[in-house]
Amino acid sequence: MILDAFSLQGRVAIITGSGRGIGKGIALAFAEAGADIVCAGRTLSAIEATAAEARGFGHKTMAIACDVTDSQQVETMVARTIQELGRIDILV
């Protein structure tokens, strides 16, 4: 299986736009591959749904509402991620 070669065990990933479409798919694939995930996007209900689904893979998962065009919101997202998960290894 391709995921055997794509292990993200122990990594922390922020996935922007993870409430739907490609971003959601990437978030779920990264969670399946072993990463702790931060689901980020403008619609809290959508990213919370993705986060809930990603938790099914047994890793830490957070949902953070963030408009990436607002630098203050991005700084807050980064600070919360580091505070709660210790670091950031991957940003999508």
Side-chain angles (χ1 to χ4, degrees), residues 35-46:
D36 293 335
I37 301 294
V38 175
C39 295
R42 293 180 300 174
T43 307
L44 186 58
S45 60

Side-chain angles (χ1 to χ4, degrees), residues 12 36-38 55 60-64 76-88:
V12 175
D36 293 335
I37 301 294
V38 175
R55 279 186 199 100
K60 296 176 186 172
T61 305
M62 298 170 49
I64 300 176
T76 299
M77 174 186 63
V78 167
R80 280 192 58 202
T81 300
I82 292 170
Q83 179 182 20
E84 296 186 34
L85 299 177
R87 68 180 186 281
I88 300 167

Side-chain angles (χ1 to χ4, degrees), residues 22-78:
I22 294 170
K24 179 177 180 175
I26 291 169
L28 296 176
F30 279 26
E32 185 175 2
D36 293 335
I37 301 294
V38 175
C39 295
R42 293 180 300 174
T43 307
L44 186 58
S45 60
I47 60 173
E48 284 178 336
T50 300
E53 194 172 342
R55 279 186 199 100
F57 294 104
H59 304 285
K60 296 176 186 172
T61 305
M62 298 170 49
I64 300 176
C66 179
D67 179 346
V68 297
T69 66
D70 182 327
S71 62
Q72 184 58 49
Q73 288 185 36
V74 172
E75 288 177 21
T76 299
M77 174 186 63
V78 167

